[in-house]
Amino acid sequence: MLTFTNRTALITGAGRGIGKAIAETLAKHGVTVICVSKSAESCGATAAAITASGGKAKALAVDVADGAAVAQACEALLKEFPAIDMLVNNAGITRDGLLFRMSETDWNDVIATNLTSCFHWTKLIGRPMTRARWGRIVNITSVSGVMGNAGQANYSAAKAGMIGLTKTLAREFAGRSVTVNAVAPGFIKTDMTTEFVNNPEASAKILEAVPLRRFGESADIANLVTYLCSEEAGYITGQVFNVDGGMAM
Ligand code: NAP
C-alpha cells in the first residue's frame, strides 16, 4: 500500500488516455486531483467519473500551450488549493512528418504543447511546492525522446527536451525535497495511437520492435506515476523510466 497523506495533484492532459488513467489511479489512493485538459468536456468527464466513484476531483479547462492562460488559471487555482503537492506534465500532441515536409507551425505547436507547457506549469506550481519543502513532479516524455523516431523531429525534440528539463530541475529542487522524474512510454493504446494500433500492417511492424510483443495500457503508465508520486518514492529523482515493453533497452 502506498502512502499519500492529504495530498493534491494536478495532471495535465487528464481528459483522455494516459492522463485520465493517472488521475483515476491517484484518486483511488485518496489524492485530490485537478484534471486539466484543453476541452471542458473531457476534463469535466474525468472529474465527474472520479467524483461519482467517491474520489475528490476538480476539472480545469486550459490550453497548456498558452503561457498567459496557464498563468491566469494558476493564479485562481492557487487561491483555492494553496498546496498542490504533485504535478504531472502529461498533455501532449503529435504532428508527424519527415523534416523536409514539416511546417514551422507543426514544429512550434508540438514544442509549445509538450515542452514549453512544462516550463510554465513547473514555474507556477513548483514555487509553492519548494516553499512547502515536499513535492513530486513527473514529466511524461516518450521513447521517441530517448531513441529518436523518423517522422517525429518536432515530437522527439520536445520529449528529449523534457528529459533535460527533468534532470536539471531534479538538481535545482533536490534541496527542498521535491523530486522530479520522467516516464517514457512506448506504444500505449490511446487516441494518440489508434491509427497504428487499428492498422494490422502498421501494428505488426511496430510490435517487431517491442520485445513483449504487445501494446501497453494507460494503467501501465499510471501505476508507475502513482508510485513516483508516493511518499515511498522520496529517494528517487532525476530519473527516466521507460515503460515500453522493452523497446528502448
Ligand atoms: P491522448 O489520448 O491524445 O490525450 C491527450 C490529452 O492531452 C487530452 O486530454 C488532451 O485534451 C490533452 N491536451 C492536448 N493538447 C492540449 C493543450 N494544448 N492544452 C491542454 N490539454 C491538451 O494522448 P495520450 O496517448 O494519453 O498521451 C499522453 C502523454 O503521453 C502525451 O504527452 C504523449 O506524448 C505521451 N506519450 C504517449 C504515448 C502513447 O503511445 N499513447 C507514447 C509515448 C508518450 P483534450 O481531451 O481536451 O483534447
Side-chain angles (χ1 to χ4, degrees):
M1 193 61 194
L2 298 173
T3 313
F4 293 93
T5 322
N6 293 327
R7 299 291 184 196
T8 300
L10 185 143
I11 304 106
T12 68
R16 292 180 281 127
I18 293 170
K20 184 178 183 208
I22 294 169
E24 287 172 345
T25 310
L26 284 170
K28 272 188 202 144
H29 283 79
V31 174
T32 301
V33 290
I34 302 159
C35 305
V36 175
S37 73
K38 194 167 183 177
S39 83
E41 290 75 24
S42 71
C43 60
T46 302
I50 289 170
T51 309
S53 51
K56 285 170 275 176
K58 177 191 172 72
L60 177 65
V62 59
D63 180 353
V64 300
D66 180 343
V70 171
Q72 202 179 10
C74 271
E75 202 184 318
L77 197 63
L78 288 170
K79 284 183 187 139
E80 192 180 344
F81 298 92
I84 298 177
D85 312 288
M86 304 154 195
L87 168 65
V88 183
N89 285 306
N90 164 80
I93 56 165
T94 52
R95 296 283 182 271
D96 296 351
L98 294 171
L99 183 76
F100 295 138
R101 289 190 215 135
M102 187 174 286
S103 69
E104 196 172 340
T105 304
D106 284 348
W107 172 270
N108 287 334
D109 287 352
V110 168
I111 299 290
T113 305
N114 293 274
L115 177 59
T116 313
S117 63
C118 301
F119 165 76
H120 292 305
W121 284 107
T122 309
K123 261 185 101 171
L124 293 157
I125 305 287
R127 194 183 290 277
M129 222 182 247
T130 54
R131 274 199 210 110
R133 293 178 179 271
W134 195 97
R136 301 281 187 261
I137 299 173
V138 182
N139 295 322
I140 307 300
T141 172
S142 167
V143 281
S144 296
V146 176
M147 304 166 67
N149 191 21
Q152 290 196 310
N154 48 5
Y155 184 74
S156 56
K159 293 304 195 186
M162 288 173 74
I163 292 173
L165 184 69
T166 299
K167 289 174 184 269
T168 293
L169 297 182
R171 291 182 188 278
E172 289 190 14
F173 297 169
R176 300 290 177 132
S177 299
V178 173
T179 66
V180 190
N181 290 291
V183 173
F187 276 91
I188 310 299
K189 286 189 270 178
T190 68
D191 292 350
M192 187 178 270
T193 53
T194 308
E195 67 174 290
F196 305 110
V197 173
N198 291 344
N199 175 329
E201 258 174 54
S203 60
K205 202 165 170 220
I206 290 165
L207 292 179
E208 275 172 27
V210 180
L212 286 178
R213 297 283 184 265
R214 63 173 178 84
F215 294 105
E217 304 290 338
S218 292
D220 294 322
I221 310 302
N223 291 335
L224 176 59
V225 172
T226 301
Y227 174 69
L228 290 173
C229 286
S230 72
E231 204 69 53
E232 283 75 8
Y235 199 56
I236 303 170
T237 198
Q239 304 304 308
V240 183
F241 297 93
N242 300 335
V243 182
D244 60 0
M247 247 179 119
M249 270 194 267

